[in-house]
Structures are given as C-alpha cells and as structure tokens.
C-alpha cells in the first residue's frame, strides 16, 4: 500500500502519478471533509499558467485533480486525522466513524502542506481585541463563509496571501490603509505587488512593522514604526493608523509535526524534510513533496514536485532498490537554501534544483559548481527572495559525480 497524507494539490498529484506508474493500492488520508486543500478558498485566478497553460482559479485547479482521482481506484479517506507515522512505515489515524485505525504501508508520501504563522509568534505589544487574524483566516471568512472581517484594514507582512487579501478586501468595500513589511523587500511575487497593490493604490511600506495594537473589545487602531537594519523599531518614527482589522501575512510554516515524531531529518532553513532528488527523506520509504517540503510560490510547481515523489514512491514499492549513495548539495553565496539537499547516484535523469536568494539582486549570474569547479551558469536580470528560482541541469553534466563530491549553487556578480 502507498499511503499519502494530505489531499491538497501535492497529495492528489503524487497519487495520480504513482497510479500511472502501476501502483493500484493507494490510500490518501485527508483531515478536511473534502479534497483540494487551501485551493478551495483561493477563488482568484492565476493558477495553472505553467502546468495547464491557462489561467484558472484555485477551486478549478483542485477540481481537475479531484475529478481525475474519481476515475481511478485510489481510495480517499476524508475527515480523518493521521496522528503518527513510524520508521517502520506504520500509520495511526482516527476519525469519528471508524475510531482508531492502524495501517502498514509499503511507502508513505508526506503532503500535509503548511500553516500560517499566528499572532502569538510575533510578540506585538498591546491588548487582545477582536479583529486580529491571519490573512488566510480572513480569506476563508470572505470566500467560504461569506463574512466580511472589517471595514478599515492594515496588513502586516507582504507575503502573497497578504497581497491577495489586500485586493480582496478592497473589492469587498473595505479600505486597506497600508501593507507593512518588516524587511526592505516584499515577500510576495512581483505580479501580485502590481496587480493587488499598485492597481488599487494601496501603499506598501517596507522596513516598517506594527509595534502596538489598540482597542478593548474590538481593534481601534495600530501603531506602526520604521525599523533599522537590525529590524528594530526606530524611535520617533511611530505613526498611529485607525483601523478595525489587522491581517497577518507573516510567513508560512510547513506542517512537519508528523515528520519530526517519526525522526525524519528537518532542514533548519526550509523547516521541511531533508530530501534527495527523488524527494525521499532520511527514512527509507518515506517521501515528501509540496509545501510540507518547501513553501512554493506557485501551485504548478507543487504539482511537478509531487509527481517526482509519486513516481519515486512507486519505484520504491516495485523494486525496493532505490539508490543509497548521494552527492551533497549546499547553498553558496547569496543563496538561502536549495531543494533537494542531496543527489542520488548515479544521475540518470535531468535534475531540477529549487532555491531562494537572500536579498534582491539585479543583473547577476547563477552558478552551479562541483567541488568549486563551475559546470553551469545562467544570467538573471532580477532575483528576489519572494520568487523561487530553479535550475534544470542535464544528466551529462553529472556523468562522473561521486558521493565525495559537493554541488554548490551561488549567485555572483557579472
């Protein structure tokens, strides 16, 4: 049995790919009442441009995979919580219909997605009035439940969800006073800055944060301030903004509690599992893909990555002889992280490396080297932390790669 945890875009794509590779006994566990994940509340368009070559909404994107699942014998168990997985590939799950259940899998794919960082992680001074919520919660209120969170809004954090909700709140009649970003650059896609802020005259205040919230029963306003290069508030730059709603878009955290309980090695930067190019984790037979592995900008790349994991899991079940020698992959100058963190040997297929840079850069060269010897380079006009980059490397460039070799990707000046 191939067990997949999560029926969002990652889990569905991985299941379909494994099924295509000949695996018939596939079970997907999903804690929500229906498949689709976060896409179900993302009613805006912008999905599918890379994978389907057309622009569709989140629910439409999810529906294409959900409908494809219905045409197979893949078993989907919704409204079910997986509480633990083990190194022996045992899964414990529970729901109100069947109670506690135990399964023994031949392989497991982790596709649990990610969650938003809450207010408690921010330590903002002030009271605890209503009207403070994550951008994703506000999105669910408006798009799923039909509730309007507020009339006058400030958004803290310029991640893509925050940018999209700035536009959504405006379209629903609210006044978005400002989007404040702690860092000197936005954490969202450039297209979202243009389409969601610039097109609606919403100001983006960089190097700015919320230092205090005001109000007793309901939020009445926030105090914002500029920050220095150490991200500390600068005295005498405080400004009070009257508002009844504060939306938080301050980062996403991969859902890896199950991974950690199983003893899977976690990357300290991505907060997701350390994986090989097949997306196999540090435990043989357990694979990871999608936002549980690294937070993606576009669901299209979640799908592509999940297909890699689905194909590799199928290969593992059929042959049980996956490679166990690896070359190490490390981030170099101006690169924050790289996925995968290791490459299985020998290299037999084209490899794609995903990475993010540490800052905004113009007119640079992305360089890939083996043991400090450059074997590939690519010119990039613009690089930004909010946009995930990727390098596709042909097999022949890694023809003589050994387990003693170190692959490095760095960004250098022309």
């Amino acid at each position: 049995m191939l067990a997949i945890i999560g029926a969002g875009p990652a889990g569905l794509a991985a299941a379909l790919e494994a099924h295509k590779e000949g695996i018939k006994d596939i079970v997907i566990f999903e804690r929500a009442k229906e498949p689709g994940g976060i896409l179900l509340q993302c009613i805006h368009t912008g999905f599918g441009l890379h994978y389907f070559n057309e622009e569709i909404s989140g629910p439409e994107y999810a529906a294409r995979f959900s409908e494809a699942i219905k045409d197979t014998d893949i078993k989907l168990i919704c409204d079910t919580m997986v509480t633990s997985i083990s190194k022996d590939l045992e899964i414990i799950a529970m729901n109100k219909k069947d109670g506690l259940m135990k399964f023994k899998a031949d392989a497991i794919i982790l596709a649990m997605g990610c969650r938003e960082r809450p207010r408690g992680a921010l330590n903002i001074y002030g009271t605890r009035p209503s009207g403070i919520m994550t951008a994703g919660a506000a999105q669910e209120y408006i798009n799923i439940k039909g509730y309007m969170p507020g009339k006058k809004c400030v958004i803290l954090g310029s991640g893509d969800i925050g940018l999209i909700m700035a536009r959504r709140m405006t379209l629903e009649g609210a006044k978005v006073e400002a989007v404040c970003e702690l860092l000197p650059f936005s954490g969202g896609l450039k297209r979202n800055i243009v389409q969601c802020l610039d097109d609606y005259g919403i100001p983006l205040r960089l190097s700015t944060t919320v230092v205090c919230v005001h109000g007793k029963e309901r939020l009445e306003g926030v105090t914002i301030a500029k920050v220095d290069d150490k991200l500390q508030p600068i005295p005498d730059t405080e400004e009070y903004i009257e508002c009844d709603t504060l939306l938080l878009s301050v980062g996403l955290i991969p859902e890896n509690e199950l991974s950690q309980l199983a003893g899977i090695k976690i990357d300290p930067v991505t907060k997701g599992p350390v994986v090989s190019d097949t997306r196999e984790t540090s435990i043989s037979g357990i694979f990871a893909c999608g936002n549980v592995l690294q937070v993606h900008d576009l669901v299209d790349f979640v799908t592509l990555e999940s297909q890699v994991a689905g194909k590799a899991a199928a290969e593992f079940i059929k042959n049980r002889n996956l490679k166990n020698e690896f070359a190490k992959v490390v981030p170099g100058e101006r690169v924050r992280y790289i996925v995968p963190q290791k490459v299985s040997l020998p290299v037999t297929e084209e490899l794609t490396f995903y990475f993010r840079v540490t800052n905004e850069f113009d007119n640079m060269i992305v360089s890939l080297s083996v043991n400090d010897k450059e074997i590939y380079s690519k010119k990039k006009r613009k690089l930004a932390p909010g946009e995930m980059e990727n390098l596709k490397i042909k097999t022949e460039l890694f023809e003589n790669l050994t387990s003693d070799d170190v692959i490095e990707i760095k960004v250098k000046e022309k």
Side-chain angles (χ1 to χ4, degrees):
M1 179 184 81
L2 170 60
I4 299 175
I5 305 174
L12 297 177
L16 288 168
E17 188 67 19
H19 188 269
K20 189 173 79 173
E21 292 294 319
I23 305 301
K24 301 305 179 185
D25 187 10
I26 302 174
V27 179
I28 309 175
F29 298 93
E30 171 55 50
R31 65 184 176 188
K33 293 183 179 180
E34 57 184 315
I38 197 67
L39 289 179
L40 299 180
Q41 68 184 53
C42 300
I43 64 173
H44 53 280
T45 58
F47 302 89
L49 288 168
H50 295 270
Y51 191 75
F52 291 115
N53 293 317
E54 61 178 304
E55 189 175 21
I56 56 179
S57 70
E60 288 175 304
Y61 192 99
R64 296 193 180 188
F65 289 89
S66 297
E67 290 302 315
I69 290 287
K70 291 178 183 178
D71 294 333
T72 69
D73 51 3
I74 296 171
K75 188 175 182 181
L76 179 60
I77 306 177
C78 289
D79 205 11
T80 298
M81 175 69 76
V82 174
T83 58
S84 73
I85 59 176
S86 73
K87 294 180 179 179
D88 299 325
L89 308 187
E90 287 188 345
I91 298 171
I92 296 177
M94 61 187 300
N95 60 35
K96 57 187 177 183
K97 177 185 176 183
D98 303 303
L100 199 67
M101 300 172 285
K102 190 173 183 179
F103 301 86
K104 181 68 170 71
D106 297 303
I108 297 173
I109 297 178
L110 307 175
M112 294 90 72
C114 60
R115 65 176 182 270
E116 292 178 282
R117 185 174 282 109
R119 176 189 174 175
L122 302 182
N123 296 321
I124 300 175
Y125 178 78
T127 52
R128 299 181 65 83
S130 64
I132 303 174
M133 67 194 76
T134 64
Q139 187 179 63
E140 182 181 7
Y141 277 133
I142 295 175
N143 295 346
I144 302 295
K145 298 181 177 179
Y147 297 141
M148 190 62 183
K151 298 178 180 179
K152 189 177 286 189
C153 175
V154 170
I155 298 176
L156 177 59
S158 61
D160 288 312
I161 302 175
L163 299 176
I164 288 166
M165 284 310 297
R167 177 179 63 186
R168 191 76 178 100
M169 294 285 286
T170 302
L171 290 173
E172 289 298 327
K175 170 66 173 173
V176 179
E177 298 290 345
V179 174
C180 300
E181 171 57 57
L182 178 69
L183 298 173
F185 48 80
S186 172
L189 294 170
K190 180 64 177 178
R191 78 180 193 198
N192 284 335
I193 296 172
V194 173
Q195 295 174 3
C196 300
L197 299 188
D198 297 349
D199 288 355
Y200 294 89
I202 300 170
L204 173 60
R205 299 197 181 187
L206 300 174
S207 298
T208 303
T209 191
V210 173
V211 294
C212 186
V213 297
H214 308 273
K216 187 176 181 182
E217 299 300 325
R218 177 77 188 194
L219 183 69
E220 297 174 0
V222 299
T223 298
I224 65 173
K226 299 291 289 183
V227 298
D228 57 24
D229 56 1
K230 295 182 180 178
L231 306 182
Q232 296 302 307
I234 301 172
D236 301 322
T237 63
E238 293 88 355
E239 177 186 346
Y240 178 81
I241 300 179
E242 182 183 336
C243 62
D244 61 13
T245 307
L246 174 63
L247 301 187
L248 306 176
S249 178
V250 289
L252 299 169
I253 306 169
E255 292 263 19
N256 273 299
E257 286 74 16
L258 287 176
S259 312
Q260 291 173 318
L261 286 172
I264 292 171
K265 186 177 180 182
I266 301 295
D267 187 301
V269 179
T270 64
K271 306 301 181 186
V274 172
V275 295
S276 70
D277 53 297
T278 65
R279 299 310 186 263
E280 188 174 28
T281 68
S282 58
I283 296 180
S284 180
I286 301 182
F287 301 78
C289 58
N291 285 351
V292 79
L293 177 60
Q294 56 175 330
V295 177
H296 289 261
D297 308 323
L298 302 173
V299 70
D300 306 65
F301 294 129
V302 168
T303 298
L304 294 172
E305 181 174 77
S306 302
Q307 289 173 336
V308 172
K311 182 178 180 180
E315 179 69 18
F316 180 86
I317 291 173
K318 288 187 288 186
N319 298 322
R320 295 282 178 176
N321 62 348
L322 288 186
K323 304 165 186 177
N324 54 15
E325 285 197 346
F326 304 94
K328 189 176 181 181
V329 181
V330 298
E333 188 178 6
R334 301 184 180 93
V335 175
R336 186 163 175 259
Y337 74 79
I338 305 171
V339 173
Q341 293 90 346
K342 54 185 179 178
V343 171
S344 50
L345 303 174
V347 178
T348 57
E349 295 184 4
E350 180 181 82
L351 296 178
T352 301
F353 297 94
Y354 295 91
F355 65 95
R356 290 187 189 271
V357 294
T358 57
N359 211 324
E360 291 185 329
F361 303 106
D362 294 329
N363 299 315
M364 304 293 277
I365 293 176
V366 177
S367 167
L368 184 143
S369 61
V370 176
N371 300 331
D372 295 323
K373 181 181 179 182
E374 184 175 280
I375 62 170
Y376 179 86
S377 65
K378 181 179 182 181
K379 294 179 181 178
K380 291 291 292 185
R381 191 169 64 86
K382 282 193 173 294
L383 293 159
E387 308 241 3
M388 183 181 287
E389 301 291 335
N390 67 77
L391 282 184
K392 293 183 178 181
I393 308 298
K394 294 181 179 179
T395 309
E396 50 263 32
L397 291 178
F398 291 131
E399 197 170 33
N400 300 313
L401 200 66
T402 72
S403 57
D404 295 325
D405 294 330
V406 177
I407 301 167
E408 180 185 50
I409 296 177
K410 63 182 177 181
V411 174
K412 62 182 184 178
E413 296 179 353
K414 286 185 179 180

